[in-house]
Short mmCIF file of all heavy atoms in Angstrom, two decimals:
data_model
loop_
_atom_site.label_atom_id
_atom_site.label_comp_id
_atom_site.label_asym_id
_atom_site.label_seq_id
_atom_site.Cartn_x
_atom_site.Cartn_y
_atom_site.Cartn_z
N LYS A 1 0.77 -1.23 0.01
CA LYS A 1 0.02 0.01 0.00
C LYS A 1 0.86 1.24 0.00
O LYS A 1 0.33 2.33 -0.27
CB LYS A 1 -0.94 0.00 1.20
CG LYS A 1 -2.00 -1.04 1.05
CD LYS A 1 -3.05 -1.02 2.19
CE LYS A 1 -4.05 -2.07 2.04
NZ LYS A 1 -5.02 -2.10 3.09
N SER A 2 2.11 1.16 0.27
CA SER A 2 2.98 2.36 0.31
C SER A 2 3.44 2.73 -1.11
O SER A 2 4.02 3.79 -1.31
CB SER A 2 4.17 2.18 1.23
OG SER A 2 5.01 1.16 0.66
N ARG A 3 3.16 1.87 -2.06
CA ARG A 3 3.62 2.13 -3.45
C ARG A 3 2.40 2.30 -4.36
O ARG A 3 1.42 1.67 -4.24
CB ARG A 3 4.38 0.91 -3.98
CG ARG A 3 5.61 0.59 -3.11
CD ARG A 3 6.26 -0.65 -3.56
NE ARG A 3 7.43 -0.20 -4.34
CZ ARG A 3 8.10 -1.00 -5.15
NH1 ARG A 3 7.76 -2.23 -5.32
NH2 ARG A 3 9.19 -0.53 -5.70
N GLN A 4 2.51 3.32 -5.26
CA GLN A 4 1.55 3.61 -6.20
C GLN A 4 0.07 3.70 -5.74
O GLN A 4 -0.77 2.97 -6.29
CB GLN A 4 1.58 2.59 -7.38
CG GLN A 4 2.79 2.81 -8.28
CD GLN A 4 2.64 1.91 -9.50
OE1 GLN A 4 2.33 0.82 -9.42
NE2 GLN A 4 2.95 2.51 -10.64
N PRO A 5 -0.17 4.50 -4.76
CA PRO A 5 -1.61 4.62 -4.36
C PRO A 5 -2.39 5.39 -5.43
O PRO A 5 -1.85 6.36 -5.94
CB PRO A 5 -1.51 5.42 -3.06
CG PRO A 5 -0.24 6.17 -3.13
CD PRO A 5 0.68 5.34 -3.95
N HIS A 6 -3.56 4.90 -5.78
CA HIS A 6 -4.45 5.59 -6.67
C HIS A 6 -3.77 5.98 -7.99
O HIS A 6 -3.74 7.19 -8.38
CB HIS A 6 -5.05 6.85 -6.03
CG HIS A 6 -5.51 6.72 -4.65
ND1 HIS A 6 -6.70 6.20 -4.29
CD2 HIS A 6 -4.89 6.96 -3.46
CE1 HIS A 6 -6.84 6.15 -3.02
NE2 HIS A 6 -5.74 6.60 -2.47
N PRO A 7 -3.26 5.01 -8.75
CA PRO A 7 -2.62 5.38 -10.01
C PRO A 7 -3.60 5.95 -11.03
O PRO A 7 -4.78 5.58 -11.03
CB PRO A 7 -2.06 4.02 -10.45
CG PRO A 7 -2.94 3.01 -9.87
CD PRO A 7 -3.30 3.57 -8.58
N ASN A 8 -3.01 6.85 -11.84
CA ASN A 8 -3.77 7.40 -13.00
C ASN A 8 -3.30 6.59 -14.19
O ASN A 8 -2.12 6.49 -14.51
CB ASN A 8 -3.48 8.85 -13.22
CG ASN A 8 -4.05 9.66 -12.07
OD1 ASN A 8 -5.19 9.50 -11.69
ND2 ASN A 8 -3.23 10.57 -11.55
N LEU A 9 -4.27 5.97 -14.92
CA LEU A 9 -3.96 5.08 -16.01
C LEU A 9 -4.48 5.69 -17.31
O LEU A 9 -5.59 6.23 -17.34
CB LEU A 9 -4.49 3.71 -15.82
CG LEU A 9 -4.06 3.02 -14.49
CD1 LEU A 9 -4.86 1.80 -14.21
CD2 LEU A 9 -2.58 2.67 -14.57
N ALA A 10 -3.82 5.52 -18.42
CA ALA A 10 -4.25 5.98 -19.68
C ALA A 10 -5.46 5.30 -20.10
O ALA A 10 -5.75 4.13 -19.79
CB ALA A 10 -3.14 5.79 -20.75
N TYR A 11 -6.23 5.93 -20.95
CA TYR A 11 -7.61 5.39 -21.39
C TYR A 11 -7.43 4.01 -22.06
O TYR A 11 -8.37 3.20 -22.01
CB TYR A 11 -8.38 6.37 -22.19
CG TYR A 11 -7.77 6.55 -23.61
CD1 TYR A 11 -8.20 5.83 -24.65
CD2 TYR A 11 -6.71 7.54 -23.79
CE1 TYR A 11 -7.66 6.02 -25.91
CE2 TYR A 11 -6.23 7.68 -25.05
CZ TYR A 11 -6.65 6.97 -26.11
OH TYR A 11 -6.05 7.12 -27.34
N TYR A 12 -6.31 3.81 -22.76
CA TYR A 12 -6.06 2.53 -23.47
C TYR A 12 -5.74 1.40 -22.49
O TYR A 12 -5.60 0.29 -22.92
CB TYR A 12 -5.12 2.70 -24.58
CG TYR A 12 -3.77 3.31 -24.17
CD1 TYR A 12 -2.84 2.54 -23.54
CD2 TYR A 12 -3.51 4.59 -24.49
CE1 TYR A 12 -1.58 3.10 -23.14
CE2 TYR A 12 -2.33 5.19 -24.10
CZ TYR A 12 -1.37 4.43 -23.46
OH TYR A 12 -0.17 4.97 -23.08
N ASP A 13 -5.53 1.71 -21.25
CA ASP A 13 -5.21 0.74 -20.21
C ASP A 13 -6.53 0.28 -19.51
O ASP A 13 -6.48 -0.07 -18.32
CB ASP A 13 -4.25 1.25 -19.20
CG ASP A 13 -2.84 1.39 -19.69
OD1 ASP A 13 -2.51 0.65 -20.57
OD2 ASP A 13 -2.07 2.21 -19.21
N GLY A 14 -7.58 0.12 -20.17
CA GLY A 14 -8.87 -0.21 -19.62
C GLY A 14 -9.18 -1.65 -19.39
O GLY A 14 -10.29 -2.05 -19.18
N ASN A 15 -8.19 -2.50 -19.56
CA ASN A 15 -8.38 -3.99 -19.46
C ASN A 15 -7.61 -4.46 -18.19
O ASN A 15 -6.44 -4.36 -18.08
CB ASN A 15 -7.80 -4.77 -20.63
CG ASN A 15 -8.56 -4.33 -21.95
OD1 ASN A 15 -9.78 -4.24 -21.98
ND2 ASN A 15 -7.81 -4.10 -23.01
N PHE A 16 -8.43 -4.92 -17.18
CA PHE A 16 -7.85 -5.27 -15.90
C PHE A 16 -8.04 -6.70 -15.53
O PHE A 16 -9.16 -7.29 -15.85
CB PHE A 16 -8.57 -4.44 -14.79
CG PHE A 16 -8.19 -3.04 -14.75
CD1 PHE A 16 -8.68 -2.14 -15.64
CD2 PHE A 16 -7.26 -2.62 -13.79
CE1 PHE A 16 -8.25 -0.82 -15.60
CE2 PHE A 16 -6.91 -1.23 -13.76
CZ PHE A 16 -7.39 -0.34 -14.67
N ARG A 17 -7.10 -7.30 -14.84
CA ARG A 17 -7.28 -8.60 -14.17
C ARG A 17 -6.80 -8.41 -12.74
O ARG A 17 -5.61 -8.14 -12.48
CB ARG A 17 -6.53 -9.70 -14.87
CG ARG A 17 -6.84 -11.08 -14.14
CD ARG A 17 -6.21 -12.26 -14.88
NE ARG A 17 -4.81 -12.23 -14.63
CZ ARG A 17 -3.90 -12.51 -15.58
NH1 ARG A 17 -4.28 -12.85 -16.84
NH2 ARG A 17 -2.60 -12.51 -15.31
N PHE A 18 -7.72 -8.56 -11.78
CA PHE A 18 -7.35 -8.54 -10.39
C PHE A 18 -7.14 -9.97 -9.96
O PHE A 18 -7.95 -10.80 -10.20
CB PHE A 18 -8.45 -7.90 -9.58
CG PHE A 18 -8.65 -6.45 -9.89
CD1 PHE A 18 -9.59 -6.00 -10.77
CD2 PHE A 18 -7.87 -5.48 -9.20
CE1 PHE A 18 -9.75 -4.66 -11.11
CE2 PHE A 18 -8.07 -4.08 -9.41
CZ PHE A 18 -9.01 -3.72 -10.35
N GLU A 19 -6.04 -10.23 -9.29
CA GLU A 19 -5.70 -11.58 -8.70
C GLU A 19 -5.59 -11.37 -7.16
O GLU A 19 -5.02 -10.43 -6.76
CB GLU A 19 -4.41 -12.11 -9.31
CG GLU A 19 -4.52 -12.36 -10.78
CD GLU A 19 -3.20 -12.85 -11.36
OE1 GLU A 19 -2.20 -13.03 -10.60
OE2 GLU A 19 -3.17 -13.10 -12.57
N PHE A 20 -6.19 -12.32 -6.46
CA PHE A 20 -6.25 -12.13 -5.00
C PHE A 20 -6.11 -13.51 -4.28
O PHE A 20 -6.31 -14.56 -4.90
CB PHE A 20 -7.51 -11.41 -4.51
CG PHE A 20 -8.72 -11.65 -5.36
CD1 PHE A 20 -9.56 -12.79 -5.02
CD2 PHE A 20 -9.06 -10.85 -6.43
CE1 PHE A 20 -10.72 -13.07 -5.83
CE2 PHE A 20 -10.20 -11.18 -7.22
CZ PHE A 20 -11.01 -12.25 -6.88
N ALA A 21 -5.81 -13.41 -3.00
CA ALA A 21 -5.63 -14.63 -2.17
C ALA A 21 -6.13 -14.27 -0.75
O ALA A 21 -6.28 -13.13 -0.45
CB ALA A 21 -4.17 -15.14 -2.17
N ALA A 22 -6.21 -15.27 0.08
CA ALA A 22 -6.62 -14.98 1.48
C ALA A 22 -5.76 -15.86 2.41
O ALA A 22 -5.24 -16.98 2.05
CB ALA A 22 -8.05 -15.41 1.72
N PRO A 23 -5.48 -15.26 3.62
CA PRO A 23 -4.62 -16.00 4.56
C PRO A 23 -5.37 -17.08 5.42
O PRO A 23 -5.14 -17.18 6.58
CB PRO A 23 -4.07 -14.87 5.41
CG PRO A 23 -5.24 -13.90 5.53
CD PRO A 23 -5.84 -14.00 4.12
N PHE A 24 -6.21 -17.85 4.78
CA PHE A 24 -6.89 -18.95 5.39
C PHE A 24 -6.19 -20.25 4.92
O PHE A 24 -6.20 -20.53 3.71
CB PHE A 24 -8.34 -19.01 5.00
CG PHE A 24 -9.13 -17.75 5.40
CD1 PHE A 24 -10.07 -17.17 4.48
CD2 PHE A 24 -9.03 -17.19 6.59
CE1 PHE A 24 -10.78 -16.07 4.84
CE2 PHE A 24 -9.82 -16.06 6.98
CZ PHE A 24 -10.62 -15.48 6.04
N PHE A 25 -5.70 -21.04 5.82
CA PHE A 25 -4.93 -22.22 5.41
C PHE A 25 -5.64 -23.50 5.70
O PHE A 25 -5.26 -24.54 5.12
CB PHE A 25 -3.55 -22.20 6.11
CG PHE A 25 -2.81 -20.95 5.80
CD1 PHE A 25 -2.62 -20.01 6.73
CD2 PHE A 25 -2.27 -20.75 4.50
CE1 PHE A 25 -1.91 -18.81 6.46
CE2 PHE A 25 -1.55 -19.57 4.21
CZ PHE A 25 -1.42 -18.57 5.17
N GLU A 26 -6.67 -23.49 6.47
CA GLU A 26 -7.39 -24.69 6.76
C GLU A 26 -8.56 -24.77 5.80
O GLU A 26 -9.36 -23.82 5.68
CB GLU A 26 -7.90 -24.70 8.20
CG GLU A 26 -8.42 -26.07 8.65
CD GLU A 26 -8.69 -26.09 10.20
OE1 GLU A 26 -8.01 -25.28 10.90
OE2 GLU A 26 -9.49 -26.85 10.62
N GLY A 27 -8.67 -25.87 5.14
CA GLY A 27 -9.82 -25.97 4.15
C GLY A 27 -9.71 -24.96 2.99
O GLY A 27 -10.68 -24.36 2.62
N GLU A 28 -8.50 -24.71 2.50
CA GLU A 28 -8.21 -23.71 1.50
C GLU A 28 -9.16 -23.89 0.27
O GLU A 28 -9.57 -22.88 -0.27
CB GLU A 28 -6.79 -23.81 0.98
CG GLU A 28 -5.88 -22.92 1.70
CD GLU A 28 -4.46 -22.89 1.09
OE1 GLU A 28 -3.67 -23.81 1.50
OE2 GLU A 28 -4.23 -22.08 0.18
N SER A 29 -9.48 -25.07 -0.11
CA SER A 29 -10.32 -25.28 -1.34
C SER A 29 -11.74 -24.82 -1.14
O SER A 29 -12.43 -24.60 -2.06
CB SER A 29 -10.28 -26.74 -1.75
OG SER A 29 -10.89 -27.60 -0.74
N GLU A 30 -12.11 -24.59 0.17
CA GLU A 30 -13.44 -24.07 0.52
C GLU A 30 -13.53 -22.54 0.64
O GLU A 30 -14.58 -22.00 0.86
CB GLU A 30 -13.95 -24.74 1.79
CG GLU A 30 -14.09 -26.23 1.70
CD GLU A 30 -15.04 -26.67 0.66
OE1 GLU A 30 -16.11 -26.06 0.52
OE2 GLU A 30 -14.65 -27.63 -0.09
N THR A 31 -12.36 -21.85 0.49
CA THR A 31 -12.36 -20.43 0.59
C THR A 31 -13.16 -19.84 -0.59
O THR A 31 -12.97 -20.32 -1.70
CB THR A 31 -10.95 -19.86 0.63
OG1 THR A 31 -10.25 -20.43 1.69
CG2 THR A 31 -10.85 -18.39 0.74
N ARG A 32 -13.97 -18.86 -0.34
CA ARG A 32 -14.78 -18.21 -1.33
C ARG A 32 -14.47 -16.72 -1.26
O ARG A 32 -14.15 -16.16 -0.30
CB ARG A 32 -16.25 -18.40 -1.12
CG ARG A 32 -16.73 -19.87 -1.15
CD ARG A 32 -16.56 -20.43 -2.61
NE ARG A 32 -16.98 -21.80 -2.72
CZ ARG A 32 -16.15 -22.82 -2.84
NH1 ARG A 32 -14.83 -22.67 -2.70
NH2 ARG A 32 -16.59 -24.08 -2.97
N PHE A 33 -14.67 -16.03 -2.42
CA PHE A 33 -14.32 -14.60 -2.57
C PHE A 33 -15.54 -13.93 -3.14
O PHE A 33 -16.27 -14.51 -3.95
CB PHE A 33 -13.15 -14.41 -3.49
CG PHE A 33 -11.91 -15.00 -2.90
CD1 PHE A 33 -11.58 -16.37 -3.27
CD2 PHE A 33 -11.03 -14.34 -2.11
CE1 PHE A 33 -10.39 -16.89 -2.80
CE2 PHE A 33 -9.88 -14.89 -1.67
CZ PHE A 33 -9.55 -16.21 -2.02
N ARG A 34 -15.73 -12.63 -2.83
CA ARG A 34 -16.71 -11.80 -3.52
C ARG A 34 -15.97 -10.51 -3.81
O ARG A 34 -15.04 -10.11 -3.13
CB ARG A 34 -17.91 -11.61 -2.64
CG ARG A 34 -17.70 -10.77 -1.43
CD ARG A 34 -19.05 -10.57 -0.69
NE ARG A 34 -18.83 -9.75 0.44
CZ ARG A 34 -19.86 -9.24 1.14
NH1 ARG A 34 -21.07 -9.41 0.82
NH2 ARG A 34 -19.59 -8.44 2.17
N SER A 35 -16.42 -9.88 -4.87
CA SER A 35 -15.73 -8.67 -5.31
C SER A 35 -16.83 -7.69 -5.81
O SER A 35 -17.97 -8.01 -6.12
CB SER A 35 -14.73 -8.95 -6.42
OG SER A 35 -15.32 -9.50 -7.55
N PHE A 36 -16.29 -6.45 -5.99
CA PHE A 36 -17.25 -5.33 -6.36
C PHE A 36 -16.36 -4.21 -6.93
O PHE A 36 -15.39 -3.75 -6.28
CB PHE A 36 -18.04 -4.90 -5.17
CG PHE A 36 -18.83 -3.65 -5.35
CD1 PHE A 36 -19.72 -3.41 -6.30
CD2 PHE A 36 -18.63 -2.54 -4.42
CE1 PHE A 36 -20.38 -2.21 -6.43
CE2 PHE A 36 -19.28 -1.39 -4.45
CZ PHE A 36 -20.19 -1.20 -5.53
N LEU A 37 -16.60 -3.79 -8.12
CA LEU A 37 -15.90 -2.70 -8.76
C LEU A 37 -16.81 -1.45 -8.66
O LEU A 37 -17.68 -1.25 -9.49
CB LEU A 37 -15.44 -3.00 -10.18
CG LEU A 37 -14.60 -1.87 -10.81
CD1 LEU A 37 -13.37 -1.55 -10.04
CD2 LEU A 37 -14.26 -2.26 -12.25
N GLN A 38 -16.56 -0.63 -7.69
CA GLN A 38 -17.36 0.60 -7.50
C GLN A 38 -17.01 1.55 -8.65
O GLN A 38 -15.92 1.75 -8.99
CB GLN A 38 -16.95 1.20 -6.14
CG GLN A 38 -17.76 2.46 -5.71
CD GLN A 38 -17.34 2.91 -4.32
OE1 GLN A 38 -16.60 2.23 -3.61
NE2 GLN A 38 -17.72 4.09 -4.00
N GLY A 39 -18.07 2.15 -9.23
CA GLY A 39 -17.95 2.96 -10.45
C GLY A 39 -18.30 2.20 -11.66
O GLY A 39 -18.34 2.77 -12.77
#
């Protein structure tokens, strides 16, 4: 979080892939995620 907060990206950079993980180690295959892109 100390690097590149709130970057400004060129309009041609409008293709995103967010990758994420969670620090749950028991029953990892049962971990579920939800997401939301505000805006």
